[in-house]
Amino acid sequence: MSQKEFASFVVDCEILTKKETGFMTKHYVGVGLESSLPFMHSPRQRRTWLSHRVYRFAMHSGTFLNGLSYRHNRKDALNLTVSKLVTLQGVQHFGSEGGKYKVSLEVKNAGSGFALVKQTGTYSSEKDETDVYYGFDVMFDHPVCLERGKRYEIASLIKGPPSWYVTAGTESGEVQGIQFSFSNSGAFHGATATMATLDDNWQTKRSTICERTKFIFNNELLSDVKFVVPASQNESERRKSQKCIPAHKFILAISSPVFYAMFYGEMAETAGTIQLPDCDYESVLELFRFLYSDEVNLSGNNVMQILYLAKKYLVPSLADKCTEYLQEHLAASNVFSVLPQAQKFEDKDLEERCWEVIEAQTENALNSEEFVTL
């Protein structure tokens, strides 16, 4: 098994213990082990959550006829309200026998317009478990919470062959004592069939405080502040598009003295929405991911901006991770882009490492694109 396959499939399915995952990681990065990889021999079981489906359409009401065509890029959408807190795990769509569909699905708060989740992919249609119609499930990478009384819009842009469809659906349904109310969106075409939900005791399924804070990361559940940031680092696009990130003042405040002063200091910010014009969406999201979970996804495209935010909001542990990433990925091709940042942030170790690379690989560094654009 390749390292990529291990990271993509084995880690995500959670079949290994944390200790075993650590051993495998050491194996792939070349850290020697004293003996063969130690794995338990008892039966394993993947973690699952109790889930239920609620059907908007009676299971016998679908029809194919000539099918619903997606050739005109029409969105299929519906509005939804719930009577109790639930976790939305995914949405089922009508399909056709042997049909493959490319789907871009979005769930958003209809009142604020804020997107809770976006999911894209290509899906193959199969006979439903009821053996009545063909369909496919679009499951979310990260399930989202739907709060009581709020109206949500579920919209899918679908490309593929004609599918089953219905002309009308029920206005409400009930599962496990939870009432689901449906209404047509302006983009309703009758192809979004059902949705899967989890029961609402989300706290009991996450045994550690880390798992529970990760669950509310980038989640409107219990959120008491929102940050509005440019969607892109590109200067020409910054004013055209903005995104909103829900957050929790307490989580931010216990992780950053700057956020503590912002929300609980003598001049505390009382507005429910805060603009961050000097940042971009991806970088702020990764900053918050670290504050909620001690995890961060660094790349060559975002590490500089995240380092800037770590310094700005006084999160030294995140700044250290950024510096480690830069040192590990430092090369003649990028040294002249890293050096000015090291000097700007007065990181002497990183600056010294940059000069070492320049001295050792002078010709390659001077011929790099980064040096030409200085």
Side-chain angles (χ1 to χ4, degrees):
M1 177 183 292
S2 69
Q3 183 174 352
K4 183 178 180 181
E5 289 171 332
F6 171 73
S8 300
F9 302 106
V10 178
V11 173
D12 288 344
C13 77
E14 299 179 342
I15 196 170
L16 298 182
T17 65
K18 290 182 178 180
K19 190 173 183 179
E20 289 170 338
T21 301
F23 283 132
M24 286 295 294
T25 302
K26 290 181 179 179
H27 167 72
Y28 279 117
V29 300
V31 177
L33 297 173
E34 295 180 358
S35 60
S36 60
L37 296 177
F39 294 108
M40 68 179 187
H41 297 285
S42 57
R44 302 172 185 269
Q45 185 174 3
R46 187 179 186 271
R47 185 190 306 177
T48 58
W49 307 123
L50 177 63
S51 62
H52 304 279
R53 287 187 187 271
V54 55
Y55 289 85
R56 190 198 178 182
F57 305 117
M59 289 187 288
H60 63 274
S61 65
T63 183
F64 186 77
L65 297 179
N66 293 322
L68 175 68
S69 172
Y70 297 116
R71 287 177 293 182
H72 301 295
N73 292 330
R74 297 181 299 177
K75 275 190 176 181
D76 187 68
L78 60 84
N79 293 324
L80 169 68
T81 304
V82 295
S83 65
K84 197 174 180 181
L85 177 71
V86 298
T87 306
L88 183 65
Q89 194 177 18
V91 178
Q92 187 184 65
H93 299 66
F94 282 128
S96 60
E97 183 175 4
K100 287 190 176 182
Y101 299 86
K102 186 176 181 180
V103 181
S104 178
L105 170 65
E106 179 179 65
V107 180
K108 65 181 180 180
N109 185 315
S112 66
F114 173 72
L116 278 71
V117 65
K118 294 181 180 180
Q119 193 75 31
T120 60
T122 301
Y123 304 87
S124 297
S125 182
E126 298 178 351
K127 207 67 173 288
D128 181 75
E129 59 191 18
T130 62
D131 206 37
V132 174
Y133 60 86
Y134 287 90
F136 56 92
D137 290 330
V138 178
M139 306 303 291
F140 304 137
D141 292 335
H142 303 287
V144 294
C145 284
L146 305 183
E147 297 183 64
R148 173 184 178 183
K150 289 188 176 181
R151 185 166 59 92
Y152 298 92
E153 182 185 71
I154 303 173
S156 292
L157 183 62
I158 309 171
K159 294 182 180 180
S163 80
W164 283 66
Y165 73 99
V166 295
T167 57
T170 60
E171 293 184 357
S172 64
E174 184 175 327
V175 175
Q176 296 292 300
I178 303 173
Q179 192 75 19
F180 295 79
S181 300
F182 303 102
S183 62
N184 291 345
S185 170
F188 170 74
H189 296 118
T192 305
T194 66
M195 69 189 65
T197 65
L198 297 172
D199 64 6
D200 58 339
N201 297 323
W202 60 272
Q203 299 94 332
T204 64
K205 300 177 180 64
R206 292 159 178 84
S207 59
T208 66
I209 185 65
C210 182
E211 289 178 325
R212 293 191 288 274
T213 54
K214 284 173 66 174
F215 179 74
I216 62 173
F217 162 66
N218 196 25
N219 195 325
E220 283 196 326
L221 177 65
L222 304 177
S223 171
D224 53 3
V225 65
K226 290 181 173 60
F227 291 83
V228 178
V229 296
S232 170
Q233 292 187 33
N234 190 309
E235 288 295 335
S236 62
E237 298 179 4
R238 292 178 75 87
R239 295 183 181 181
K240 295 180 182 179
S241 177
Q242 292 185 322
K243 289 189 176 182
C244 184
I245 303 175
H248 307 77
K249 294 179 180 179
F250 175 76
I251 299 294
L252 301 184
I254 63 173
S255 306
S256 160
V258 176
F259 283 125
Y260 177 83
M262 181 184 295
F263 298 127
Y264 300 103
E266 294 181 1
M267 303 292 289
E269 177 65 62
T270 58
T273 301
I274 296 175
Q275 299 277 344
L276 296 180
D278 62 335
C279 311
D280 69 272
Y281 175 77
E282 181 187 357
S283 301
V284 175
L285 198 64
E286 291 305 320
L287 168 68
F288 287 180
R289 187 192 308 278
F290 186 80
L291 300 185
Y292 279 73
S293 67
D294 286 333
E295 298 173 0
V296 62
N297 298 320
L298 296 175
S299 70
N301 293 327
N302 67 21
V303 64
M304 292 298 189
Q305 182 71 10
I306 295 174
L307 177 59
Y308 162 74
L309 293 174
K311 296 285 188 177
K312 177 180 178 180
Y313 292 103
L314 300 181
V315 188
S317 52
L318 177 57
D320 289 344
K321 283 186 175 291
C322 293
T323 301
E324 289 172 9
Y325 180 92
L326 289 170
Q327 291 195 8
E328 289 172 2
H329 294 81
L330 195 60
S333 59
N334 62 16
V335 66
F336 281 112
S337 65
V338 176
L339 178 60
Q341 300 300 320
Q343 294 171 330
K344 175 182 177 180
F345 294 122
E346 299 182 348
D347 189 323
K348 299 301 182 184
D349 291 338
L350 182 58
E351 181 180 356
E352 183 178 341
R353 177 68 184 129
C354 288
W355 287 119
E356 289 175 357
V357 171
I358 294 172
E359 184 177 351
Q361 305 179 54
T362 306
E363 184 175 351
N364 290 336
L366 294 178
N367 290 327
S368 68
E369 212 174 292
E370 299 294 342
F371 178 75
V372 174
T373 57
L374 277 177

